[in-house]
Amino acid sequence: MIRNILLTAACLIVATTAQAQEPQDTRTKIIDPNVRTLKVAPLSNAYMPPVIVMGSVDKINVDFDYMDFDEHYLRYSVKHCNANWQPSELVESEYVDGFNYGDITDYDHSQATFVQYCHYNFALPNEDFKLTKSGNYLLTVYEQDDPDNVLFQTRFSVCEHLVDVMATATSNTDMDYNNEHQQVAVEVSYKMGAISDPYNDLKLVVSQNTRTDNERIITKPMMVEMGKVTYDHNQQLVFTAGNEYRRIETVNTKGYNLGNVKIQYFEPYYHAQLPVDLPRNNKQYLYDQTQFGHFTVRNSESDNGATEADYCVTHFVLNTGRPLTGGTLFLDGEFTQGLPANVTAMRYDAATGCYVNDLLLKQGAYNYQYLWVPDGTYTGLTSPIEGDKYQTVNRYSVKVYSRAMGERYDRLVGYDTAYSGR
């Protein structure tokens, strides 16, 4: 009897421990399909990653539409996360000054559009919602009277700039020279006493453009000197170069759009027919100034795209001539973040020999590319469709986290961006 009780207790402890260690899904995720055009960026620059400096005047700006002309009363809250985007050990009172929620009071109805929506906007921190710790934050938006009815979750970061970070990117890599890869090198400088153990306290996270699937976490430096830590000649800091993003515009429903996009109205939507794309993996590199995967909402016939830009069913077509096997082809860009995989996956049309996808997108300018994800993997490859060109101008974002012995969370102590091909 006692042995059975002990065995049962042991099983409960193991089960509880396993459940506690189960990783949480903290990826940017749109749960309510009525949420559209989610954009999270610094208020100072909509084309930069959502990172701000603690104590600065800058804020994280959150923009989105809800596809319903009736307003919804919405609320937001945040959760502090470590460098790997798993919840930290901090309780809410340790990272939020006051109550951990805020009401979204800035909203307006769409005007003179075929698709009716309500546009919402808010910024953090604000007078009623202050953050007291640096690090990563998971933002959740939900109905005021139903906290379990989550519309979406998204990520942003707050940096305290305890160290100076200098990042560089080059096509002279440990894998090849001026070929298919680019390599990032990082130098972290700090005042004596700011970092107790640079070998073990620091953690580096590097991302390429707006992508999260190929993000790298570096835990060990190559070299440590007096007040300086160097990360270089590390295979994890080598990225495939990719290609410049493709660009299209849907800003004008009556005239010319960049990319020769034709827009026509078929009740109940505008339809934007994009020219047929072709693989670029075997073509020479061609420079094109892009926004590193970002998008901009704009209606050329209005000064207020937030509420006067309409929605278009945007038809993407990629001519591969044959079906590709062993994986799935996806659309990639800032506008796809948070969307379910089945929404961004391209479908093969045997009648035309093309991959197609139709997305309802707000009028504007969009960067996009095609990523091939082999079966059983989660990282997209640019080589099968876009190609990997060493000249490509990519933006690499570098975050430096610190966690000294005894501390209960990862502090974001430094941040920098580096551009390849420049």
Side-chain angles (χ1 to χ4, degrees):
M1 178 69 175
I2 295 176
R3 184 171 182 272
N4 289 339
I5 293 174
L6 291 175
L7 284 173
T8 302
C11 290
L12 286 172
I13 292 171
V14 170
T16 303
T17 303
Q19 185 176 6
Q21 293 177 346
E22 187 73 22
Q24 294 189 24
D25 185 359
T26 62
R27 295 171 296 177
T28 294
K29 183 165 55 174
I30 295 174
I31 300 168
D32 189 326
N34 288 309
V35 173
R36 301 276 177 162
T37 320
L38 173 63
K39 191 173 185 67
V40 183
L43 197 60
S44 60
N45 191 334
Y47 300 113
M48 292 298 288
V51 181
I52 58 171
V53 176
M54 179 172 285
S56 71
V57 297
D58 206 0
K59 301 177 184 297
I60 293 294
N61 191 61
V62 183
D63 258 316
F64 65 96
D65 294 337
Y66 194 87
M67 308 300 271
D68 189 346
F69 197 70
D70 293 332
E71 63 268 19
H72 288 241
Y73 299 103
L74 305 179
R75 182 170 285 176
Y76 59 84
S77 60
V78 299
K79 181 179 293 185
H80 191 275
C81 295
N82 287 320
N84 61 352
W85 288 102
Q86 289 300 294
S88 68
E89 297 179 21
L90 300 180
V91 297
E92 292 181 352
S93 59
E94 293 181 279
Y95 56 83
V96 176
D97 183 6
F99 294 105
N100 185 11
Y101 67 83
D103 295 332
I104 304 176
T105 58
D106 186 357
Y107 56 86
D108 202 359
H109 301 287
S110 59
Q111 302 174 32
T113 58
F114 287 107
V115 174
Q116 295 185 336
Y117 59 87
C118 198
H119 177 73
Y120 294 82
N121 173 263
F122 65 97
L124 294 173
N126 53 55
E127 291 183 359
D128 302 318
F129 198 95
K130 295 180 174 59
L131 303 171
T132 60
K133 296 289 190 296
S134 70
N136 294 335
Y137 285 90
L138 181 69
L139 171 74
T140 303
V141 173
Y142 50 90
E143 299 276 0
Q144 281 187 15
D145 57 355
D146 187 5
D148 294 329
N149 184 10
V150 176
L151 274 61
F152 66 86
Q153 63 182 31
T154 188
R155 298 171 169 183
F156 70 91
S157 302
V158 179
C159 178
E160 58 183 282
H161 267 327
L162 186 66
V163 303
D164 293 323
V165 183
M166 186 178 72
T168 58
T170 178
S171 57
N172 182 6
T173 78
D174 293 341
M175 297 186 68
D176 53 33
Y177 175 74
N178 285 356
N179 195 354
E180 297 181 349
H181 297 87
Q182 295 171 350
Q183 185 160 341
V184 177
V186 181
E187 186 176 284
V188 179
S189 302
Y190 58 92
K191 294 180 180 179
M192 298 306 298
I195 304 297
S196 302
D197 182 359
Y199 278 106
N200 299 301
D201 291 355
L202 298 181
K203 186 178 294 183
L204 207 68
V205 177
V206 184
S207 57
Q208 184 188 55
N209 301 319
T210 61
R211 295 176 60 179
T212 57
D213 62 302
N214 62 349
E215 195 170 66
R216 312 293 169 80
I217 299 179
I218 315 298
T219 57
K220 296 299 179 183
M222 182 191 75
M223 182 170 59
V224 175
E225 302 174 78
M226 189 73 69
K228 185 169 70 174
V229 183
T230 302
Y231 299 83
D232 199 359
H233 298 293
N234 187 322
Q235 289 287 329
Q236 288 184 280
L237 291 174
V238 179
F239 292 77
T240 52
N243 207 335
E244 304 296 347
Y245 282 85
R246 302 172 191 256
R247 293 192 298 152
I248 53 103
E249 285 185 354
T250 56
V251 300
N252 193 331
T253 60
K254 299 180 178 65
Y256 174 79
N257 290 284
L258 177 71
N260 197 28
V261 178
K262 297 179 181 179
I263 299 180
Q264 294 176 289
Y265 181 76
F266 301 104
E267 192 174 356
Y269 300 116
Y270 281 112
H271 287 255
Q273 188 61 57
L274 277 56
V276 177
D277 287 327
L278 296 172
R280 301 185 292 172
N281 55 332
N282 292 322
K283 294 184 177 181
Q284 288 187 338
Y285 169 79
L286 180 64
Y287 172 73
D288 186 18
Q289 185 174 355
T290 69
Q291 286 73 49
F292 308 106
H294 292 282
F295 71 89
T296 304
V297 169
R298 188 163 72 89
N299 177 356
S300 63
E301 302 167 88
S302 167
D303 293 330
N304 185 10
T307 56
E308 296 179 12
D310 215 323
Y311 275 80
C312 302
V313 178
T314 307
H315 301 275
F316 293 87
V317 183
L318 174 67
N319 185 2
T320 58
R322 59 180 179 81
L324 306 177
T325 59
T328 306
L329 195 61
F330 289 93
L331 273 172
D332 173 70
E334 182 190 24
F335 70 99
T336 68
Q337 290 185 7
L339 296 177
N342 65 314
V343 174
T344 58
M346 302 292 289
R347 306 178 304 277
Y348 184 72
D349 179 16
T352 61
C354 296
Y355 279 88
V356 297
N357 195 340
D358 308 318
L359 290 179
L360 188 64
L361 300 178
K362 202 171 185 179
Q363 282 183 271
Y366 289 83
N367 280 191
Y368 70 99
Q369 64 180 350
Y370 297 103
L371 294 181
W372 175 254
V373 180
D375 292 338
T377 68
Y378 299 96
T379 302
L381 304 179
T382 45
S383 55
I385 302 298
E386 307 295 357
D388 290 312
K389 317 295 182 181
Y390 75 88
Q391 305 97 321
T392 302
V393 182
N394 289 308
R395 181 184 66 207
Y396 293 94
S397 301
V398 178
K399 299 177 184 177
V400 179
Y401 297 86
S402 172
R403 185 168 187 169
M405 183 178 294
E407 290 189 335
R408 296 163 44 238
Y409 71 101
D410 294 334
R411 302 163 62 185
L412 179 54
V413 296
Y415 173 71
D416 193 25
T417 54
Y419 296 86
S420 62
R422 289 184 175 177

